[in-house]
Amino acid sequence: QVQLVESGGGLVQAGGSLSLSCAASGISVSRYAMAWYRQSPGMQRDLVAVIGVPDSIAYADSAKDRFTISRDNAKNTLYLCMNNLKPEDTGVYTCNAAGDDIYWGQGTQVTVSS
């Protein structure tokens, strides 16, 4: 059974930082394109950052120069380091694994106060 479990969300003031983790089981993150998505209140779920196989990386324009996606294959975990957070970064951040199949985590809430 595949599980993606996110952690690290919370409440932070604008300008602050958070680091999200997505621990995978049942798959190897090294063999999947791994991504973070965000769903803000009243909005659709949008791609924030993706790391492919091998390690090609892409960011949404809103995340460039502030967020860093990475993965630790030994720990089978995906990360998203977020700096200089803004209120518009608020939302549920969900981990995604795409390969022969597609898997989603449950998400972790990030709230940025102004």
Side-chain angles (χ1 to χ4, degrees):
Q1 183 180 358
V2 176
Q3 282 192 314
L4 301 175
V5 180
E6 300 93 339
S7 61
L11 174 63
V12 64
Q13 288 188 329
S17 299
L18 281 175
S19 289
L20 306 183
S21 300
C22 170
S25 58
I27 61 167
S28 295
V29 297
S30 62
R31 297 183 178 185
Y32 282 74
M34 301 295 298
W36 288 97
Y37 283 77
R38 175 179 66 227
Q39 186 164 22
S40 302
M43 305 290 285
Q44 67 180 20
R45 185 163 54 188
D46 290 325
L47 178 68
V48 174
V50 59
I51 181 167
V53 180
D55 294 334
S56 57
I57 290 175
Y59 295 98
D61 287 343
S62 62
K64 287 179 182 176
D65 301 323
R66 299 188 299 125
F67 293 4
T68 302
I69 188 171
S70 63
R71 64 181 155 203
D72 185 326
N73 294 334
K75 294 183 178 180
N76 212 28
T77 299
L78 177 73
Y79 301 97
L80 184 69
C81 180
M82 304 185 292
N83 296 314
N84 190 22
L85 283 160
K86 303 176 181 180
E88 52 263 42
D89 295 320
T90 293
V92 176
Y93 285 71
T94 305
C95 174
N96 166 274
D100 292 339
D101 295 291
I102 297 175
Y103 303 100
W104 294 91
Q106 293 298 310
T108 186
Q109 175 70 44
V110 171
T111 303
V112 184
S113 63
S114 57

